[in-house]
Amino acid sequence: MNILFCSVGRRAELLKNFRKSLSPGSKIIATDMSVYAPAIYMADTHYIVPAISDEKYLSTILDICKKEKINAITTLIDPEIEMLAKNRELFSSMGVEVLSPYYDTAILCFDKFKLYKHLKENGVNTPKTYGSYDEAVFDIEKQELSFPVFVKPRTGSGSVGAKRIDNILELKKACEEDASLIIQEYMDSIDMDADVYIDTITHNPVSIFTKRKIETKIGGASKTVSFKDDKLVEFLCDALKHFRFNGPIDVDLFYKEGKYYLSEINPRFGGAYLHAYGAGVDFVKLIENNVNGHINEAVFNQYDDNVAMMMYDSVVIQKIEL
């Protein structure tokens, strides 16, 4: 299998893990817009490409797929997911499996308020969320929402702009400074995360790895501890059937008063998938099976509880051509 990772940035360890699991003769191709993206040097071949907003970006990626005989493509940044989803048929016509959701689902996942409404319409537990300051104040006055609350941009990634708000003056100021903010009930609860693989043939979840977040930095979990719960597997399988995913996804969750709540879905490899891989949950083999036309059997909870992941800093030393 030849797999193309787009916009790899700092995700060097993920590419290292892929190299360990890929079958002999497989190749990893990586792209980024900067020669200073450390992960490109973990690939067999890399390309420096235009920004995803450039009109030549799509044709550049399609040319790479043709030249490198790519079998599967994915991206490691949220803004690119929609582009891959929108052009799925173009890639499919070249024999390339797009490991991104279908277009309607990509739009839902990128717009957090649309995601909230979709979850509510389908009866999936999710934190109460408001699309505007006025909507939130209306429920505050009715005592159906209380401080603290949590605000975050309606679109975006990496937890940029997300923060706790403790009173009405702070909330008004935050919303005046950034009209894109949505307001969410503050979840004073256990924060957790799930790595899920959606089979690209059946479109059903076939592998789930769940962990509690111990520490979060730069928008992602940096210390996590694994756990297993059949009720959470059941909750996720029920919630995800209301979407059209394809391949790896990362799900943010809360656990409060005996119930699970789905907060966000990042339809790509999450930054903490490294934990799942280290605990023996190998999505690489699942991708290879799908690319070769094989359906993956659903296997859940085949890993140990209380396996910890602790991220640390590392470096790439590389001579580059400018």
Side-chain angles (χ1 to χ4, degrees):
M1 178 177 71
N2 294 342
I3 185 166
L4 174 59
F5 286 93
C6 298
S7 305
V8 292
R10 296 163 51 91
R11 304 288 294 277
E13 290 299 318
L14 176 62
L15 270 63
K16 288 181 183 179
N17 288 345
F18 259 78
R19 185 171 301 285
K20 292 176 186 175
S21 288
L22 281 171
S23 297
S26 300
K27 288 174 60 180
I28 297 172
I29 315 300
T31 71
D32 202 273
M33 61 184 292
S34 172
V35 294
Y36 300 109
I40 60 175
Y41 301 105
M42 303 299 117
D44 295 289
T45 305
H46 71 264
Y47 293 85
I48 304 303
V49 297
I52 61 173
S53 58
D54 192 295
E55 61 180 14
K56 296 180 181 178
Y57 184 77
L58 176 60
S59 61
T60 300
I61 297 301
L62 290 169
D63 286 345
I64 293 170
C65 287
K66 183 177 181 180
K67 180 179 179 180
E68 298 292 345
K69 297 180 173 60
I70 297 299
N71 305 111
I73 184 172
T74 192
T75 180
L76 300 181
I77 61 170
D78 294 326
E80 192 168 8
I81 293 169
E82 181 181 337
M83 185 277 290
L84 291 179
K86 188 175 183 179
N87 293 284
R88 179 179 301 278
E89 295 305 319
L90 271 176
F91 289 101
S92 295
S93 67
M94 299 172 64
V96 180
E97 180 68 67
V98 178
L99 300 173
S100 289
Y102 286 78
Y103 186 67
D104 53 347
T105 293
I107 296 298
L108 285 173
C109 291
F110 193 63
D111 186 319
K112 297 177 179 64
F113 192 56
K114 285 184 179 179
L115 176 63
Y116 163 75
K117 291 193 289 185
H118 186 72
L119 292 170
K120 290 295 291 182
E121 288 167 1
N122 288 282
V124 179
N125 290 343
T126 186
K128 189 182 296 184
T129 305
Y130 301 85
S132 71
Y133 171 79
D134 289 340
E135 290 175 11
V137 169
F138 184 75
D139 267 13
I140 290 170
E141 291 174 347
K142 292 196 305 178
Q143 297 185 334
E144 292 183 6
L145 177 67
S146 59
F147 290 101
V149 296
F150 197 75
V151 298
K152 57 187 177 184
R154 183 167 174 162
T155 60
S157 58
S159 297
V160 175
K163 60 183 177 180
R164 169 177 161 155
I165 298 290
D166 290 311
N167 57 62
I168 193 71
L169 292 177
E170 287 183 14
L171 180 60
K172 185 177 182 180
K173 181 181 178 182
C175 292
E176 286 176 346
E177 291 176 350
D178 186 352
S180 76
L181 292 179
I182 57 175
I183 300 104
Q184 190 175 77
E185 66 173 309
Y186 187 76
M187 299 297 287
D188 186 13
S189 59
I190 300 173
D191 193 1
M192 55 189 57
D193 181 271
D195 297 295
V196 185
Y197 186 80
I198 308 296
D199 192 88
T200 66
I201 300 173
T202 66
H203 301 293
N204 294 321
V206 293
S207 183
I208 297 174
F209 178 81
T210 53
K211 63 247 191 220
R212 296 183 183 89
K213 297 179 184 178
I214 307 302
E215 180 183 82
T216 300
K217 290 184 177 180
I218 320 176
S222 54
K223 291 184 175 66
T224 52
V225 176
S226 66
F227 75 98
K228 296 179 289 188
D229 185 356
D230 290 336
K231 291 182 179 179
L232 179 51
V233 170
E234 182 181 352
F235 173 78
L236 285 167
C237 288
D238 180 67
L240 297 176
K241 71 184 181 184
H242 302 294
F243 300 87
R244 295 200 298 163
F245 292 112
N246 202 61
I249 66 172
D250 172 54
V251 185
D252 289 329
L253 303 140
F254 295 107
Y255 183 73
K256 185 176 183 179
E257 298 175 353
K259 294 181 180 180
Y260 288 104
Y261 292 80
L262 196 160
S263 174
E264 295 183 21
I265 306 175
N266 302 303
R268 53 168 171 74
F269 276 103
Y273 168 71
L274 303 174
H275 190 178
Y277 184 85
V281 181
D282 190 345
F283 287 5
V284 184
K285 293 302 182 185
L286 302 181
I287 294 171
E288 277 194 330
N289 286 342
N290 280 164
V291 165
N292 289 315
H294 304 306
I295 294 173
N296 289 296
E297 178 185 353
V299 178
F300 303 123
N301 290 337
Q302 287 199 349
Y303 57 88
D304 291 335
D305 286 309
N306 300 319
V307 174
M309 178 194 73
M310 297 157 280
M311 288 188 178
Y312 67 96
D313 293 333
S314 187
V315 299
V316 172
I317 306 298
Q318 178 78 30
K319 182 176 175 60
I320 60 174
E321 295 182 10
L322 299 177

Short mmCIF file of all heavy atoms in Angstrom, two decimals, residues 149-193:
data_model
loop_
_atom_site.label_atom_id
_atom_site.label_comp_id
_atom_site.label_asym_id
_atom_site.label_seq_id
_atom_site.Cartn_x
_atom_site.Cartn_y
_atom_site.Cartn_z
N VAL A 149 -19.54 28.97 32.06
CA VAL A 149 -19.83 28.37 30.76
C VAL A 149 -18.51 28.24 30.01
O VAL A 149 -17.47 28.71 30.47
CB VAL A 149 -20.84 29.21 29.95
CG1 VAL A 149 -22.18 29.25 30.66
CG2 VAL A 149 -20.30 30.61 29.68
N PHE A 150 -18.56 27.63 28.85
CA PHE A 150 -17.37 27.43 28.05
C PHE A 150 -17.62 28.00 26.66
O PHE A 150 -18.69 27.77 26.08
CB PHE A 150 -17.04 25.94 27.95
CG PHE A 150 -15.64 25.64 27.49
CD1 PHE A 150 -14.56 25.81 28.35
CD2 PHE A 150 -15.40 25.17 26.21
CE1 PHE A 150 -13.27 25.53 27.94
CE2 PHE A 150 -14.11 24.89 25.79
CZ PHE A 150 -13.05 25.07 26.66
N VAL A 151 -16.68 28.78 26.14
CA VAL A 151 -16.84 29.34 24.79
C VAL A 151 -15.72 28.82 23.88
O VAL A 151 -14.61 28.54 24.34
CB VAL A 151 -16.83 30.89 24.79
CG1 VAL A 151 -18.00 31.42 25.60
CG2 VAL A 151 -15.51 31.45 25.29
N LYS A 152 -16.05 28.69 22.61
CA LYS A 152 -15.06 28.27 21.61
C LYS A 152 -15.54 28.70 20.24
O LYS A 152 -16.76 28.88 20.01
CB LYS A 152 -14.85 26.75 21.66
CG LYS A 152 -16.10 25.92 21.47
CD LYS A 152 -15.79 24.45 21.71
CE LYS A 152 -17.06 23.61 21.58
NZ LYS A 152 -16.80 22.18 21.90
N PRO A 153 -14.62 28.90 19.28
CA PRO A 153 -15.02 29.28 17.93
C PRO A 153 -15.89 28.21 17.29
O PRO A 153 -15.70 27.01 17.52
CB PRO A 153 -13.69 29.42 17.19
CG PRO A 153 -12.69 29.69 18.26
CD PRO A 153 -13.15 28.89 19.43
N ARG A 154 -16.85 28.65 16.49
CA ARG A 154 -17.76 27.72 15.82
C ARG A 154 -17.01 26.79 14.88
O ARG A 154 -17.36 25.61 14.72
CB ARG A 154 -18.82 28.52 15.06
CG ARG A 154 -19.86 27.69 14.38
CD ARG A 154 -21.04 28.53 13.92
NE ARG A 154 -21.98 27.73 13.16
CZ ARG A 154 -23.24 28.07 12.92
NH1 ARG A 154 -23.71 29.20 13.43
NH2 ARG A 154 -24.04 27.30 12.20
N THR A 155 -15.98 27.32 14.24
CA THR A 155 -15.10 26.50 13.40
C THR A 155 -13.67 26.69 13.89
O THR A 155 -13.36 27.66 14.57
CB THR A 155 -15.19 26.89 11.92
OG1 THR A 155 -14.81 28.26 11.78
CG2 THR A 155 -16.61 26.71 11.40
N GLY A 156 -12.81 25.77 13.55
CA GLY A 156 -11.42 25.88 13.99
C GLY A 156 -10.96 24.60 14.63
O GLY A 156 -11.71 23.63 14.77
N SER A 157 -9.71 24.59 15.06
CA SER A 157 -9.14 23.39 15.66
C SER A 157 -8.04 23.77 16.63
O SER A 157 -7.65 24.94 16.73
CB SER A 157 -8.57 22.46 14.57
OG SER A 157 -7.59 23.14 13.80
N GLY A 158 -7.54 22.79 17.36
CA GLY A 158 -6.45 23.02 18.28
C GLY A 158 -6.82 23.80 19.53
O GLY A 158 -5.97 24.32 20.23
N SER A 159 -8.13 23.88 19.83
CA SER A 159 -8.62 24.58 21.02
C SER A 159 -8.27 26.07 21.03
O SER A 159 -8.28 26.70 22.09
CB SER A 159 -8.09 23.92 22.30
OG SER A 159 -8.57 22.61 22.42
N VAL A 160 -7.96 26.64 19.87
CA VAL A 160 -7.66 28.07 19.78
C VAL A 160 -8.93 28.86 20.11
O VAL A 160 -9.99 28.63 19.51
CB VAL A 160 -7.14 28.44 18.39
CG1 VAL A 160 -6.94 29.94 18.27
CG2 VAL A 160 -5.85 27.69 18.08
N GLY A 161 -8.83 29.78 21.05
CA GLY A 161 -9.96 30.62 21.40
C GLY A 161 -10.94 30.00 22.37
O GLY A 161 -11.93 30.64 22.75
N ALA A 162 -10.70 28.77 22.80
CA ALA A 162 -11.60 28.09 23.74
C ALA A 162 -11.20 28.44 25.17
O ALA A 162 -10.02 28.39 25.53
CB ALA A 162 -11.54 26.58 23.53
N LYS A 163 -12.19 28.79 26.00
CA LYS A 163 -11.87 29.15 27.39
C LYS A 163 -13.13 29.14 28.26
O LYS A 163 -14.26 29.20 27.78
CB LYS A 163 -11.23 30.53 27.44
CG LYS A 163 -12.09 31.66 26.89
CD LYS A 163 -11.34 32.98 26.93
CE LYS A 163 -12.17 34.11 26.32
NZ LYS A 163 -11.43 35.40 26.35
N ARG A 164 -12.89 29.08 29.55
CA ARG A 164 -13.96 29.14 30.55
C ARG A 164 -14.36 30.60 30.79
O ARG A 164 -13.51 31.50 30.84
CB ARG A 164 -13.48 28.50 31.85
CG ARG A 164 -14.38 28.70 33.04
CD ARG A 164 -13.85 27.96 34.24
NE ARG A 164 -14.42 28.49 35.48
CZ ARG A 164 -14.54 27.78 36.60
NH1 ARG A 164 -14.11 26.53 36.64
NH2 ARG A 164 -15.06 28.33 37.67
N ILE A 165 -15.65 30.82 30.97
CA ILE A 165 -16.21 32.15 31.25
C ILE A 165 -16.99 32.06 32.57
O ILE A 165 -17.84 31.18 32.74
CB ILE A 165 -17.14 32.61 30.12
CG1 ILE A 165 -16.38 32.75 28.80
CG2 ILE A 165 -17.83 33.91 30.51
CD1 ILE A 165 -15.41 33.90 28.74
N ASP A 166 -16.72 33.01 33.49
CA ASP A 166 -17.29 32.90 34.84
C ASP A 166 -18.45 33.84 35.14
O ASP A 166 -19.11 33.68 36.17
CB ASP A 166 -16.19 33.12 35.88
CG ASP A 166 -15.20 31.96 35.91
OD1 ASP A 166 -15.66 30.80 35.97
OD2 ASP A 166 -13.98 32.21 35.84
N ASN A 167 -18.72 34.84 34.28
CA ASN A 167 -19.83 35.75 34.57
C ASN A 167 -20.32 36.41 33.30
O ASN A 167 -19.70 36.30 32.23
CB ASN A 167 -19.42 36.80 35.61
CG ASN A 167 -18.21 37.61 35.18
OD1 ASN A 167 -18.23 38.31 34.17
ND2 ASN A 167 -17.12 37.51 35.95
N ILE A 168 -21.43 37.13 33.41
CA ILE A 168 -22.09 37.71 32.25
C ILE A 168 -21.24 38.79 31.57
O ILE A 168 -21.25 38.92 30.34
CB ILE A 168 -23.47 38.28 32.64
CG1 ILE A 168 -24.30 38.58 31.38
CG2 ILE A 168 -23.34 39.52 33.52
CD1 ILE A 168 -24.79 37.37 30.66
N LEU A 169 -20.47 39.54 32.34
CA LEU A 169 -19.63 40.59 31.75
C LEU A 169 -18.52 39.96 30.90
O LEU A 169 -18.22 40.44 29.80
CB LEU A 169 -19.03 41.47 32.84
CG LEU A 169 -20.02 42.35 33.61
CD1 LEU A 169 -19.31 43.14 34.71
CD2 LEU A 169 -20.74 43.31 32.65
N GLU A 170 -17.91 38.91 31.40
CA GLU A 170 -16.88 38.20 30.63
C GLU A 170 -17.47 37.62 29.35
O GLU A 170 -16.85 37.66 28.29
CB GLU A 170 -16.26 37.08 31.46
CG GLU A 170 -15.32 37.53 32.57
CD GLU A 170 -14.70 36.35 33.29
OE1 GLU A 170 -14.79 35.22 32.77
OE2 GLU A 170 -14.14 36.56 34.38
N LEU A 171 -18.68 37.07 29.46
CA LEU A 171 -19.32 36.46 28.30
C LEU A 171 -19.62 37.51 27.23
O LEU A 171 -19.37 37.29 26.04
CB LEU A 171 -20.61 35.75 28.73
CG LEU A 171 -21.39 35.05 27.61
CD1 LEU A 171 -20.53 33.98 26.95
CD2 LEU A 171 -22.68 34.45 28.15
N LYS A 172 -20.17 38.64 27.66
CA LYS A 172 -20.48 39.71 26.70
C LYS A 172 -19.23 40.21 26.00
O LYS A 172 -19.21 40.39 24.77
CB LYS A 172 -21.18 40.85 27.42
CG LYS A 172 -21.65 41.97 26.48
CD LYS A 172 -22.41 43.05 27.23
CE LYS A 172 -22.92 44.11 26.26
NZ LYS A 172 -23.66 45.18 26.97
N LYS A 173 -18.16 40.42 26.77
CA LYS A 173 -16.91 40.90 26.19
C LYS A 173 -16.34 39.90 25.19
O LYS A 173 -15.90 40.27 24.10
CB LYS A 173 -15.89 41.17 27.31
CG LYS A 173 -14.56 41.70 26.79
CD LYS A 173 -13.58 41.92 27.93
CE LYS A 173 -12.22 42.40 27.41
NZ LYS A 173 -11.24 42.58 28.51
N ALA A 174 -16.34 38.62 25.56
CA ALA A 174 -15.79 37.58 24.68
C ALA A 174 -16.56 37.52 23.36
O ALA A 174 -15.96 37.41 22.29
CB ALA A 174 -15.82 36.23 25.38
N CYS A 175 -17.89 37.61 23.44
CA CYS A 175 -18.71 37.51 22.24
C CYS A 175 -18.61 38.76 21.37
O CYS A 175 -18.74 38.69 20.15
CB CYS A 175 -20.16 37.24 22.61
SG CYS A 175 -20.42 35.60 23.33
N GLU A 176 -18.38 39.92 21.99
CA GLU A 176 -18.17 41.14 21.23
C GLU A 176 -16.83 41.10 20.50
O GLU A 176 -16.71 41.60 19.37
CB GLU A 176 -18.22 42.35 22.16
CG GLU A 176 -19.63 42.70 22.63
CD GLU A 176 -19.64 43.84 23.64
OE1 GLU A 176 -18.56 44.18 24.17
OE2 GLU A 176 -20.73 44.38 23.91
N GLU A 177 -15.82 40.51 21.12
CA GLU A 177 -14.50 40.42 20.51
C GLU A 177 -14.44 39.37 19.40
O GLU A 177 -13.65 39.49 18.46
CB GLU A 177 -13.46 40.10 21.58
CG GLU A 177 -13.23 41.25 22.57
CD GLU A 177 -12.28 40.87 23.69
OE1 GLU A 177 -11.94 39.66 23.80
OE2 GLU A 177 -11.85 41.77 24.43
N ASP A 178 -15.26 38.33 19.51
CA ASP A 178 -15.25 37.27 18.51
C ASP A 178 -16.68 36.78 18.30
O ASP A 178 -17.21 35.99 19.08
CB ASP A 178 -14.36 36.11 18.96
CG ASP A 178 -14.21 35.04 17.89
OD1 ASP A 178 -14.91 35.12 16.86
OD2 ASP A 178 -13.39 34.12 18.08
N ALA A 179 -17.30 37.23 17.23
CA ALA A 179 -18.70 36.88 16.95
C ALA A 179 -18.87 35.42 16.55
O ALA A 179 -20.00 34.92 16.48
CB ALA A 179 -19.25 37.79 15.86
N SER A 180 -17.76 34.73 16.28
CA SER A 180 -17.86 33.32 15.86
C SER A 180 -18.01 32.35 17.04
O SER A 180 -18.19 31.16 16.83
CB SER A 180 -16.62 32.93 15.05
OG SER A 180 -15.50 32.72 15.91
N LEU A 181 -17.93 32.87 18.25
CA LEU A 181 -17.96 31.98 19.41
C LEU A 181 -19.32 31.32 19.60
O LEU A 181 -20.37 31.93 19.38
CB LEU A 181 -17.62 32.76 20.68
CG LEU A 181 -16.19 33.29 20.83
CD1 LEU A 181 -16.05 34.06 22.13
CD2 LEU A 181 -15.17 32.15 20.77
N ILE A 182 -19.28 30.07 20.01
CA ILE A 182 -20.48 29.41 20.50
C ILE A 182 -20.31 29.21 22.00
O ILE A 182 -19.18 29.20 22.51
CB ILE A 182 -20.74 28.06 19.79
CG1 ILE A 182 -19.53 27.11 19.93
CG2 ILE A 182 -21.08 28.28 18.33
CD1 ILE A 182 -19.79 25.72 19.36
N ILE A 183 -21.43 29.10 22.71
CA ILE A 183 -21.40 29.00 24.17
C ILE A 183 -21.90 27.63 24.58
O ILE A 183 -22.96 27.17 24.09
CB ILE A 183 -22.27 30.11 24.81
CG1 ILE A 183 -21.75 31.50 24.40
CG2 ILE A 183 -22.26 29.98 26.33
CD1 ILE A 183 -22.58 32.18 23.36
N GLN A 184 -21.18 26.99 25.46
CA GLN A 184 -21.49 25.62 25.85
C GLN A 184 -21.58 25.52 27.37
O GLN A 184 -20.84 26.20 28.08
CB GLN A 184 -20.40 24.68 25.33
CG GLN A 184 -20.69 23.20 25.44
CD GLN A 184 -19.59 22.37 24.77
OE1 GLN A 184 -18.51 22.19 25.32
NE2 GLN A 184 -19.86 21.91 23.56
N GLU A 185 -22.49 24.70 27.85
CA GLU A 185 -22.54 24.45 29.28
C GLU A 185 -21.19 23.90 29.74
O GLU A 185 -20.54 23.13 29.02
CB GLU A 185 -23.66 23.49 29.66
CG GLU A 185 -23.48 22.08 29.14
CD GLU A 185 -24.54 21.11 29.67
OE1 GLU A 185 -24.74 21.07 30.91
OE2 GLU A 185 -25.17 20.43 28.85
N TYR A 186 -20.76 24.32 30.91
CA TYR A 186 -19.46 23.88 31.41
C TYR A 186 -19.58 22.47 31.96
O TYR A 186 -20.40 22.20 32.85
CB TYR A 186 -18.97 24.82 32.51
CG TYR A 186 -17.56 24.54 32.96
CD1 TYR A 186 -16.48 24.90 32.18
CD2 TYR A 186 -17.32 23.89 34.17
CE1 TYR A 186 -15.18 24.65 32.58
CE2 TYR A 186 -16.03 23.63 34.59
CZ TYR A 186 -14.96 24.01 33.79
OH TYR A 186 -13.68 23.75 34.20
N MET A 187 -18.81 21.57 31.43
CA MET A 187 -18.87 20.16 31.82
C MET A 187 -17.84 19.89 32.91
O MET A 187 -16.67 19.63 32.63
CB MET A 187 -18.64 19.26 30.61
CG MET A 187 -19.67 19.42 29.51
SD MET A 187 -21.35 18.98 30.00
CE MET A 187 -21.23 17.19 30.06
N ASP A 188 -18.27 20.01 34.15
CA ASP A 188 -17.41 19.69 35.29
C ASP A 188 -17.46 18.17 35.47
O ASP A 188 -18.22 17.63 36.28
CB ASP A 188 -17.92 20.40 36.54
CG ASP A 188 -16.98 20.22 37.72
OD1 ASP A 188 -15.85 19.76 37.49
OD2 ASP A 188 -17.40 20.51 38.85
N SER A 189 -16.64 17.50 34.68
CA SER A 189 -16.77 16.05 34.55
C SER A 189 -15.46 15.43 34.09
O SER A 189 -14.45 16.12 33.94
CB SER A 189 -17.89 15.73 33.55
OG SER A 189 -17.58 16.32 32.30
N ILE A 190 -15.50 14.14 33.82
CA ILE A 190 -14.32 13.44 33.32
C ILE A 190 -14.19 13.69 31.82
O ILE A 190 -15.14 13.47 31.05
CB ILE A 190 -14.42 11.93 33.61
CG1 ILE A 190 -14.53 11.68 35.11
CG2 ILE A 190 -13.21 11.19 33.03
CD1 ILE A 190 -14.81 10.23 35.47
N ASP A 191 -13.03 14.15 31.40
CA ASP A 191 -12.74 14.47 30.00
C ASP A 191 -12.05 13.27 29.37
O ASP A 191 -11.06 12.75 29.93
CB ASP A 191 -11.84 15.71 29.96
CG ASP A 191 -11.73 16.31 28.58
OD1 ASP A 191 -12.36 15.80 27.65
OD2 ASP A 191 -11.00 17.31 28.44
N MET A 192 -12.55 12.81 28.25
CA MET A 192 -11.98 11.61 27.64
C MET A 192 -12.01 11.70 26.12
O MET A 192 -12.53 12.65 25.55
CB MET A 192 -12.73 10.36 28.13
CG MET A 192 -14.22 10.42 27.91
SD MET A 192 -15.07 9.04 28.74
CE MET A 192 -14.55 9.27 30.42
N ASP A 193 -11.46 10.67 25.50
CA ASP A 193 -11.23 10.70 24.06
C ASP A 193 -11.30 9.26 23.53
O ASP A 193 -10.96 8.31 24.25
CB ASP A 193 -9.84 11.29 23.81
CG ASP A 193 -9.49 11.39 22.35
OD1 ASP A 193 -8.93 10.42 21.81
OD2 ASP A 193 -9.77 12.43 21.76
#
